[in-house]
Amino acid sequence: MLKTLAFAGPQREIKQKITHLIGAENTTEFYDSYKANGFTKQDVDSLAVWGFNSIRLPMHYNLYTLPIEQETVSGKQTWLEEGFKRTDELLSWCTSNKIYLILDLHATPGGQGKDANISDYDPSKPSLWESTANQDKMVALWEKLATRYKDDPWIGGYDIINEPNWNFSGTNQNGCDEKLNTPLRALQLRITKAIRAIDMNHLVIIEGNCWGNNYNGIFPLWDDNMALSFHKYWNKNDVGSIQKMLDYREKYNVPIWMGEGGENSNVWFQEAINLLESNNIGWAFWPMKKVENTAGITSVNKPASYDTLLEYWEKGGKKPTVSSAKATLMELANNYKLENTVIKYDVIDAMFRQVQTTDTKEYSSHIVPGKIFATDYDLGQNGYAYFDTDVINYDGTKFTKWNKGGVMRNDGVDIEVCSDEVTNGFDVVFIESGEWLQYTIDLVKAQTFDVSIRFFSKKVGGKLFLEDEKGNKLSQNITIPSSGALGKWDTVVLKNVTLKQGTNKVRVHFEKGGFNFNYLEFKEKK
């Protein structure tokens, strides 16, 4: 989430790195700002406008209560106001927008899984499964939450334990080969009973082992107001990928919910949501905000000086000054305000509009005569707004990149930061033969243009032409010459391109790839 995976994944390790660099007091100031800016009323208002009707809140227990080793009296629970206050505030924003808030205990006392990046598990201390005191604290926390929210109609449910991944008797450390899951069932049963002694209203959501997907031994169910959550990442979007959950729904007459998925391309999002909604399954996607992210609905801008901190934390060397490091981190925290993020409208379009239609729409308004940047191709599905040969990641062991440049947009089109002086900051790269990009152009009258193509190519041999959405050619074929060197930009011209009055869907068809593409420039023929 913060680009620290190379040297610190769990939150406790990240916080240790920051504290070592700027001190405890400054670290507290950073985290206060980071949390305050990370999610605000503006975020909830925007989610409602974009079409979302629920928020799954990933909660760390240590915002609500102390770790067991910090309790001064054995068996006593010390409650911290911050977590409850922030949750109350979020719930008020959700209520005003008629959005359901689902409470998800994302990091439990002691940690519920070996995947410490998720659970903040510290192997030097007892886990949730190795400590009765941690389990008691978890039950007490859910009792406290149930007491606080038992009568609130905009609490959508209690997701009582996120992605347990622990081997109780199997050989897989994340519990993927567990046959019985006895401790997991027992704890979830105990928590449900504790909640039901206080709150008979709200849905209790449970998750299987192996990051929420191994339900062996969990049945029979013990409550008539429950739902089963499963998580879906980096796999195919066919019925087979969810068949086991569909079988559980049918056999046990229980609702199912895809409680977490994402981190993939727009094509995967559209496919997954189509699959889920066609099977009457709701969904939640991860994450809302992340530094330099194409696959979320917002991207947090990385301060230029942040790379200095990352390099120091990973490799050592000269230590940044406290003042400079703090300034960088406070800038990062400020960048988490929604108005300072880059909103990924292509992702939102894929999640909502593209699920319903193959129609395309303009990504930005194109005025001709004038330049159209290559990366401002239309919004829409692959094969309709653009065509790329590598658009999705179905294999979680390989993590194949769909956008090989990794910036700007989340489609299959490969985009990188552009070196050309005249640019919107990006260009299209790794062009393969047969791919194409479409641009919507509206004209009040028919016009004829010469169209300049801005490119660079070390070798001769790339080819392209313009066509409309029906495949009718609008220009001659042109061969892309060598521009002399990588990064040296040049221009070729397609002459006498006539566009009709009204809406034109112009496609740049790459008959042969192997070059970089920056923009088209339409110049009216006199």
Side-chain angles (χ1 to χ4, degrees), residues 65-74 76-79 137:
T65 185
L66 291 175
I68 57 171
E69 61 269 16
Q70 294 181 22
E71 294 287 6
T72 57
V73 179
S74 178
K76 184 186 177 193
Q77 310 302 338
T78 301
W79 302 112
K137 182 174 281 289

Side-chain angles (χ1 to χ4, degrees), residues 61 65-68 75 77 79 105 108-112 126-143 160-161 166 168 182-192 194:
Y61 83 93
T65 185
L66 291 175
I68 57 171
Q77 310 302 338
W79 302 112
L105 192 53
T108 71
Q112 70 274 23
S127 72
L128 176 69
W129 310 110
E130 298 165 324
S131 166
T132 301
N134 276 327
Q135 294 180 24
D136 291 346
K137 182 174 281 289
M138 184 175 175
V139 173
L141 175 55
W142 275 116
E143 288 175 331
I160 59 179
I161 178 169
W166 194 269
F168 302 115
T182 302
L184 175 58
R185 185 181 193 276
L187 181 57
Q188 294 195 108
L189 177 58
R190 181 185 172 194
I191 293 170
T192 305

Side-chain angles (χ1 to χ4, degrees), residues 436-485:
W436 50 263
L437 301 169
Q438 177 179 287
Y439 306 87
T440 296
I441 302 171
D442 290 315
L443 294 177
V444 296
K445 64 177 182 178
Q447 291 177 265
T448 299
F449 302 91
D450 286 344
V451 182
S452 298
I453 304 293
R454 187 72 166 170
F455 74 96
F456 82 66
S457 179
K458 190 174 182 179
K459 298 179 180 179
V460 178
K463 296 180 180 181
L464 64 79
F465 58 87
L466 304 185
E467 64 182 2
D468 64 19
E469 74 274 24
K470 295 180 180 179
N472 300 312
K473 292 186 73 171
L474 300 172
S475 77
Q476 76 274 25
N477 294 43
I478 195 167
T479 298
I480 302 297
S482 170
S483 59

Side-chain angles (χ1 to χ4, degrees), residues 250-270:
E250 178 68 22
K251 183 175 181 179
Y252 298 105
N253 191 30
V254 60
I256 58 176
W257 179 49
M258 201 286 284
E260 191 179 306
E263 301 283 9
N264 216 309
S265 70
N266 287 341
V267 176
W268 193 92
F269 293 166
Q270 176 261 314

Side-chain angles (χ1 to χ4, degrees), residues 7 32-33 68 97 130 162 184 213 249 256 286 291 308 315 331 383 434 448 499:
F7 53 86
D32 285 345
S33 180
I68 57 171
N97 280 286
E130 298 165 324
N162 174 71
L184 175 58
N213 297 299
R249 180 170 68 180
I256 58 176
W286 181 278
V291 175
T308 302
K315 300 178 181 178
E331 181 183 353
T448 299
L499 302 184

Side-chain angles (χ1 to χ4, degrees), residues 325-373:
K326 180 184 177 183
T328 297
L329 289 166
M330 294 307 291
E331 181 183 353
L332 176 65
N334 189 60
N335 287 352
Y336 267 80
K337 293 178 180 177
L338 186 66
E339 63 265 29
N340 294 336
T341 67
V342 178
I343 297 172
K344 297 296 185 177
Y345 289 106
D346 60 305
V347 175
I348 297 168
D349 190 70
M351 287 181 165
F352 292 96
R353 192 187 64 85
Q354 291 178 36
V355 173
Q356 305 297 328
T357 181
T358 57
D359 290 348
T360 62
K361 61 182 292 188
E362 61 183 21
Y363 177 81
S364 60
S365 180
H366 303 310
I367 299 174
V368 295
K371 291 185 178 69
I372 298 177
F373 292 108

Side-chain angles (χ1 to χ4, degrees), residues 270-419:
Q270 176 261 314
E271 283 185 359
I273 293 170
N274 269 128
L275 172 69
L276 295 166
E277 293 187 347
S278 65
N279 285 280
N280 198 28
I281 302 171
W283 47 268
F285 271 60
W286 181 278
M288 171 69 177
K289 294 178 180 175
K290 186 175 179 179
V291 175
E292 288 192 332
N293 185 31
T294 62
I297 58 175
T298 68
S299 177
V300 177
N301 292 309
K302 183 178 69 174
S305 53
Y306 190 51
D307 281 334
T308 302
L309 303 191
L310 296 178
E311 184 174 0
Y312 167 72
W313 281 325
E314 182 178 2
K315 300 178 181 178
K318 184 178 180 181
K319 185 177 181 180
T321 65
V322 171
S323 60
S324 66
K326 180 184 177 183
T328 297
L329 289 166
M330 294 307 291
E331 181 183 353
L332 176 65
N334 189 60
N335 287 352
Y336 267 80
K337 293 178 180 177
L338 186 66
E339 63 265 29
N340 294 336
T341 67
V342 178
I343 297 172
K344 297 296 185 177
Y345 289 106
D346 60 305
V347 175
I348 297 168
D349 190 70
M351 287 181 165
F352 292 96
R353 192 187 64 85
Q354 291 178 36
V355 173
Q356 305 297 328
T357 181
T358 57
D359 290 348
T360 62
K361 61 182 292 188
E362 61 183 21
Y363 177 81
S364 60
S365 180
H366 303 310
I367 299 174
V368 295
K371 291 185 178 69
I372 298 177
F373 292 108
T375 55
D376 289 352
Y377 60 89
D378 286 353
L379 293 166
Q381 294 182 20
N382 187 43
Y384 294 89
Y386 67 96
F387 176 69
D388 196 276
T389 57
D390 187 9
V391 297
I392 206 163
N393 176 14
Y394 287 131
D395 188 340
T397 66
K398 295 180 179 178
F399 297 102
T400 305
K401 290 184 177 181
W402 47 95
N403 174 353
K404 295 182 181 68
V407 295
M408 188 181 175
R409 295 180 67 169
N410 196 46
D411 300 313
V413 179
D414 304 308
I415 299 173
E416 68 174 6
V417 175
C418 187
S419 61

